[in-house]
């Protein structure tokens, strides 16, 4: 595996590989890899001739007061993990090269970004879509992989790719959970042992909601009230949002039907965690 930091070098290599008829499979990340990222890399390995992983903690998707500075970073650890699952090229550009002086072009998806994380983190998705569009232009992948834990992000990136006719197939892969159900996230390492225990309230809430729906409940308000009550039992949990939304439009649903997704964003201490579950599906097994 080679580590490439120069943008032009990365773009030239990718162009050359495409020219040789190779299929490029891409996994964009912010690093501090975990089993969820590795599942994306394994899928990329199966789907492409050349697997490209990007690691870039993108400053433009963090708002003022968010955790850009404290976001976990360890490139040599990540490189070992990426190499072990067959990554070919690890692209780790510098922020000053991605956003040089004078940078002033942004990619913004409207509509889908108005609710959920888009409402609670203004400007976040503008940063995400801008950097993903740049990364797609640099790597020029045939296929790119994203985790479904970032449900809204995946919908927004799909919309951007369709609207801008980007020649890349965007694939979403299922959430990978710890043995006790906590959705894997690079941010989980920031939890103290007690916060780590409290964070299980998100998965408990999902299980509760899924069980209610399985038993025939269709009123979102009642399901949301039960989830909220479970999460509020934890002393350090602060709900950012808990909503039932349509899986395509991401607008709120009063009645639970086949398109209903439960989406949660909860701060446990200083760490913001997100999770989701499609309410038409079976209760997730960790
Ligand atoms: O999901 C992430 O890790 C990031 O939001 C992404 C897609 C790599 C863009 O910075």
């Amino acid at each position: 595996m080679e580590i490439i930091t120069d943008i032009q070098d990365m773009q030239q290599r990718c162009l050359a590989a495409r020219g040789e008829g190779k299929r490029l499979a891409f996994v964009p990340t912010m690093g501090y890899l975990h089993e969820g990222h590795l599942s994306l890399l394994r899928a990329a390995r199966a789907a492409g001739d050349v697997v490209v992983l990007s690691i870039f903690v993108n400053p433009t998707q963090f708002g003022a007061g968010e955790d850009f500075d404290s976001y976990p970073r360890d490139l040599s650890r990540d490189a070992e993990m990426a190499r072990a699952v067959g990554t070919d090229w690890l692209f780790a550009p510098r922020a000053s090269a991605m956003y040089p002086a004078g940078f002033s072009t942004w990619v913004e998806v409207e509509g889908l970004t108005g609710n959920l994380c888009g409402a609670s983190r203004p400007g976040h998705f503008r940063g995400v879509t801008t950097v993903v569009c740049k990364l797609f232009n640099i790597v020029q992948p045939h296929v790119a992989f994203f985790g479904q834990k970032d449900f809204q992000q995946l919908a927004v990136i799909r919309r951007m790719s369709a609207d801008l006719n980007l020649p890349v197939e965007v694939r979403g892969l299922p959430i990978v959970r710890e043995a006790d159900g906590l959705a894997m996230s690079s941010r989980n390492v920031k939890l103290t042992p007690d916060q780590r225990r409290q964070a299980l309230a998100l998965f408990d809430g999902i299980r509760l909601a899924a069980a209610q729906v399985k038993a025939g409940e269709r009123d979102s308000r009642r399901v949301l009230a039960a989830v909220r009550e479970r999460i509020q039992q934890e002393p350090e949990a602060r709900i950012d949002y808990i909503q039932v939304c349509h899986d395509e439009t991401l607008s709120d649903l009063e009645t639970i039907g086949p398109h209903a997704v439960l989406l949660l964003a909860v701060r446990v201490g200083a760490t913001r965690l997100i999770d989701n579950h499609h309410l038409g599906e079976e209760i997730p097994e960790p």
Side-chain angles (χ1 to χ4, degrees):
M1 188 186 76
E2 287 177 85
I3 299 180
I4 296 124
T5 54
D6 185 75
I7 294 174
Q8 280 192 339
D9 183 14
M10 185 77 254
Q11 199 170 38
Q12 290 309 322
R13 283 168 185 251
C14 293
L15 272 170
R18 277 185 85 102
E20 289 163 18
K22 293 194 173 128
R23 190 170 159 77
L24 270 78
F26 180 40
V27 180
T29 77
M30 298 205 298
Y32 214 77
L33 302 183
H34 51 68
E35 196 50 46
H37 296 119
L38 299 186
S39 75
L40 304 180
L41 285 167
R42 289 191 193 99
R45 182 69 282 164
D49 302 307
V50 179
V51 175
V52 184
L53 161 71
S54 68
I55 294 184
F56 179 61
V57 185
N58 173 36
T60 66
Q61 69 188 72
F62 290 82
E66 291 189 350
D67 60 348
F68 174 71
D69 289 332
S70 65
Y71 196 87
R73 294 163 168 88
D74 188 340
L75 190 62
S76 48
R77 166 191 175 278
D78 286 349
E80 274 317 304
M81 293 171 76
R83 185 176 289 119
V85 291
T87 304
D88 295 300
W89 295 334
L90 192 173
F91 177 48
R94 275 180 272 279
S96 57
M98 288 293 274
Y99 298 108
F103 183 92
S104 45
T105 303
W106 301 94
V107 178
E108 192 152 10
V109 172
E110 296 176 350
L112 285 179
T113 56
N115 202 357
L116 304 163
C117 290
S120 62
R121 302 182 68 188
H124 168 67
F125 284 117
R126 182 175 93 140
V128 169
T129 41
T130 300
V131 81
V132 170
C133 190
K134 282 169 68 67
L135 290 167
F136 281 180
N137 283 329
I138 295 164
V139 176
Q140 306 191 33
H142 295 85
V143 55
F145 293 85
F146 296 86
Q148 286 169 356
K149 181 169 75 71
D150 296 281
F151 191 91
Q152 188 176 19
Q153 169 173 282
L154 179 58
V156 168
I157 290 169
R158 284 204 163 112
R159 185 78 260 161
M160 169 189 77
S161 303
D163 288 354
L164 299 182
N165 305 101
L166 302 181
V168 51
E169 179 196 343
V170 174
R171 286 197 208 161
L173 293 194
I175 296 174
V176 179
R177 298 182 180 279
E178 302 283 357
D180 57 9
L182 180 67
M184 291 204 184
S185 163
S186 305
R187 289 189 167 99
N188 289 352
V189 293
K190 294 165 54 166
L191 298 166
T192 64
D194 190 48
Q195 290 168 349
R196 171 71 182 72
R197 184 197 54 72
Q198 295 181 49
L200 285 178
L202 279 83
F203 187 59
D204 275 356
I206 285 176
R207 274 206 287 224
L208 210 63
Q212 284 197 352
V213 173
K214 198 170 182 182
E217 182 61 78
R218 293 292 174 266
D219 185 337
S220 296
R221 277 170 310 176
R222 279 203 284 270
V223 171
L224 290 171
V227 177
R228 208 169 283 128
E229 195 188 318
R230 168 63 191 90
I231 288 172
Q232 283 168 343
Q233 286 168 11
E234 302 303 337
E236 288 184 80
R238 299 282 171 274
I239 295 169
D240 194 343
Y241 62 75
I242 303 176
Q243 289 169 237
V244 173
C245 294
H246 188 284
D247 57 4
E248 287 164 8
T249 65
L250 302 187
S251 50
D252 288 273
L253 287 179
E254 281 179 20
T255 306
I256 295 170
H259 287 281
V261 189
L262 172 70
L263 299 118
L264 309 89
V266 177
R267 263 169 236 285
V268 181
T271 307
R272 186 176 181 278
L273 303 173
I274 57 172
D275 204 339
N276 66 77
H277 175 63
H278 209 289
L279 288 169
E281 292 171 5
E282 280 297 301
I283 299 172
E285 284 305 321

